[in-house]
Amino acid sequence: MENIADMKKLRHLLHQNAEVSGKEIKTSTIIEDFLKKQNPDTLLTKQGGNAIIAIFNGMKPGFTTMIRADMDAVKVSSSVVNDYSSLNKSVSHQCGHDGHSAILAGLASFLNKNRPVNGKIVLLFQPEEETGNGAKRIISKGVLNEIAPDFIFGYHNLPGFSENTIITKEGTFASASSGLAIELKGKNAHAANPESGISPVLAVMSLIDFFEKLNKKPSGFKDFILNTITHVSIGKPVFGISPGSAKMLVTLRSFSDTDMNLIIKKISNKILELKVNHRLEIKTSLSDVFPALVNNSEALAIVEQAARKMKIKIKRQNEPFRWSEDFAHYNNIAKTCYFGIGAGKDCPGLHQESYDFPDSIIPKSIEFLGALCSGHFS
Ligand SMILES: [Zn+2]
């Protein structure tokens, strides 16, 4: 077994040096320093941003397994105070990516002592998960072209599930989601003569009604969809002006990419109608785009087999999770499976102020990743 005290220490060091997406400079240095001591056959740094890749080669040829951990933190207003609190008060590891990285680093330590016999085991420490840019950039920059993994596995700690339970799902594991910004531009007018301006008020009302109806009667969709209006602003908070502009933010969600495309098509048609009927300029833009995370059945079988081998409880979900995960981008380049690791029934939820990654799940999780690679040891 790895030196668990060291892995906890590493997790606390990452927690203390929490950095937001795209700025994982200290984080990657800490991980790199640790990995150097684990003697990987190849250690690549600054890949597609701040990603680090450690490769352990077997003596015989074989397939390539890649395991990915995310390493970015989130902007917060406050977080738990303890002896390893984040040095930057406005950034904290409230999603537990510090723990994910510590677990993968623990696997590096295991592989240092138990070298694979065949094929390759690749450990990817990935930046920018929270913004949805990390995996996308790694793929688009061709970072994995030469490595060409056959299987890619990823995981997230999940509060609300018993500690160390492995949470799986056949098919879609987590939702596709996208942030949609709608900007409406008309013309200001004196509040006494609104008819001389072009107000976006009625168009905004029509959009709100449109999204509500789409949620209640989602006709033509194969599965669950959800649109959440997260922000609406019209004009300025004054009495004297009839507004000439408005902005609306909506989070779009679906269990499949096909349904997401249909949501976007329906919205485009609605926007066209509003442009004609209200004489407004309307611009739309998408951001934080996450495809649906779909598990490959062969990769899923490897995860569940590893859990059974270790006599770990498997909780197979019936419904996909509503949240999204940028691991979904790897779906197109290998056989992938994403799974959850129970963080404890009483563990505060992810992104909550009182959340702190439970160190107690580190030892079993490292062992589990080792079991996931068992095909490389025979
Ligand atoms: Zn996360």
Side-chain angles (χ1 to χ4, degrees):
M1 192 8 65
E2 302 337 289
N3 188 340
I4 293 307
D6 282 353
M7 303 327 299
K8 287 183 186 171
K9 224 165 86 184
L10 176 71
R11 207 278 288 179
H12 295 179
L13 190 61
L14 291 170
H15 192 91
Q16 219 164 17
N17 292 282
E19 293 163 308
V20 289
S21 307
K23 308 265 186 243
E24 307 90 342
I25 308 294
K26 270 189 197 159
T27 306
S28 54
T29 308
I30 293 167
I31 294 170
E32 185 188 341
D33 288 347
F34 182 89
L35 290 175
K36 273 181 188 160
K37 294 177 207 140
Q38 313 313 321
N39 306 306
D41 295 289
T42 310
L43 183 61
L44 306 167
T45 59
K46 300 255 170 282
Q47 299 293 301
N50 297 316
I52 306 171
I53 297 176
I55 305 175
F56 291 84
N57 295 331
M59 297 297 279
K60 296 190 219 161
F63 62 103
T64 300
T65 296
M66 185 169 99
I67 305 181
R68 171 274 216 175
D70 37 21
M71 62 193 210
D72 50 339
V74 289
K75 277 195 182 135
V76 296
S77 45
S78 71
S79 58
V80 280
V81 176
N82 51 31
D83 55 0
Y84 54 86
S85 299
S86 176
L87 296 169
N88 181 348
K89 282 193 168 32
S90 61
V91 179
S92 179
H93 271 292
Q94 276 177 7
C95 206
H97 298 185
D98 50 347
H100 301 166
S101 283
I103 291 167
L104 195 61
L107 179 66
S109 169
F110 169 83
L111 294 174
N112 184 21
K113 294 169 211 147
N114 307 274
R115 314 293 295 194
V117 176
N118 66 70
K120 286 177 202 283
I121 301 173
V122 181
L123 314 186
L124 166 65
F125 296 81
Q126 186 212 291
E128 292 185 84
E129 190 285 321
E130 296 286 352
T131 54
N133 294 327
K136 203 161 63 181
R137 182 168 301 130
I138 282 170
I139 294 166
S140 67
K141 295 272 177 199
V143 171
L144 300 177
N145 287 0
E146 206 181 310
I147 294 169
D150 296 288
F151 294 97
I152 309 179
F153 299 100
Y155 51 93
H156 208 292
N157 77 100
L158 295 181
F161 292 89
S162 306
E163 281 197 0
N164 296 310
T165 304
I166 296 297
I167 301 107
T168 62
K169 169 82 179 55
E170 207 178 6
T172 304
F173 185 90
S175 302
S177 77
S178 207
L180 170 72
I182 307 173
E183 287 182 74
L184 305 94
K185 204 167 165 5
K187 200 174 135 202
N188 284 340
H190 193 288
N193 302 95
E195 68 280 3
S196 63
I198 302 172
S199 166
V201 168
L202 293 178
V204 169
M205 278 169 61
S206 176
L207 275 170
I208 293 171
D209 185 55
F210 165 80
F211 284 115
E212 282 306 301
K213 281 192 178 132
L214 201 56
N215 282 343
K216 279 188 189 139
K217 282 196 179 158
S219 71
F221 296 97
K222 282 196 300 186
D223 217 323
F224 169 86
I225 65 142
L226 177 70
N227 308 293
T228 308
I229 297 171
T230 57
H231 173 88
V232 179
S233 61
I234 306 175
K236 296 224 159 53
V238 293
F239 292 110
I241 303 170
S242 173
S245 64
K247 187 166 185 178
M248 201 166 168
L249 300 180
V250 191
T251 307
L252 317 174
R253 216 171 282 281
S254 67
F255 283 170
S256 78
D257 293 334
T258 326
D259 280 349
M260 180 58 80
N261 291 338
L262 185 57
I263 300 177
I264 291 168
K265 193 167 172 240
K266 285 184 186 248
I267 294 169
S268 302
N269 291 342
K270 178 69 188 170
I271 298 284
L272 274 178
E273 173 204 309
L274 291 175
K275 276 183 181 170
V276 174
N277 293 348
H278 296 269
R279 295 182 298 137
L280 292 159
E281 270 179 48
I282 307 178
K283 276 190 208 155
T284 57
S285 59
L286 290 173
S287 57
D288 296 12
V289 177
F290 294 83
L293 200 175
V294 185
N295 282 339
N296 167 276
S297 55
E298 204 182 322
L300 171 67
I302 294 172
V303 169
E304 293 189 339
Q305 211 177 333
R308 276 194 291 272
K309 193 176 151 199
M310 283 186 62
K311 300 197 178 358
I312 291 178
K313 199 179 152 206
I314 301 169
K315 173 100 176 58
R316 210 191 236 228
Q317 295 288 100
N318 293 322
E319 283 278 295
F321 288 98
R322 285 193 183 184
W323 40 265
S324 308
E325 165 55 63
D326 92 332
F327 184 84
H329 290 286
Y330 299 118
N331 284 352
N332 299 326
I333 63 156
K335 292 171 183 164
T336 57
C337 182
Y338 197 79
F339 56 92
I341 301 175
K345 288 219 184 263
D346 301 324
C347 178
L350 301 170
H351 292 219
Q352 278 183 17
E353 287 175 12
S354 53
Y355 173 87
D356 183 27
F357 183 90
D359 286 332
S360 51
I361 68 170
I362 291 177
K364 259 264 180 317
S365 300
I366 298 172
E367 271 185 68
F368 181 72
L369 295 190
L372 207 53
C373 298
S374 60
H376 293 277
F377 292 98
S378 54

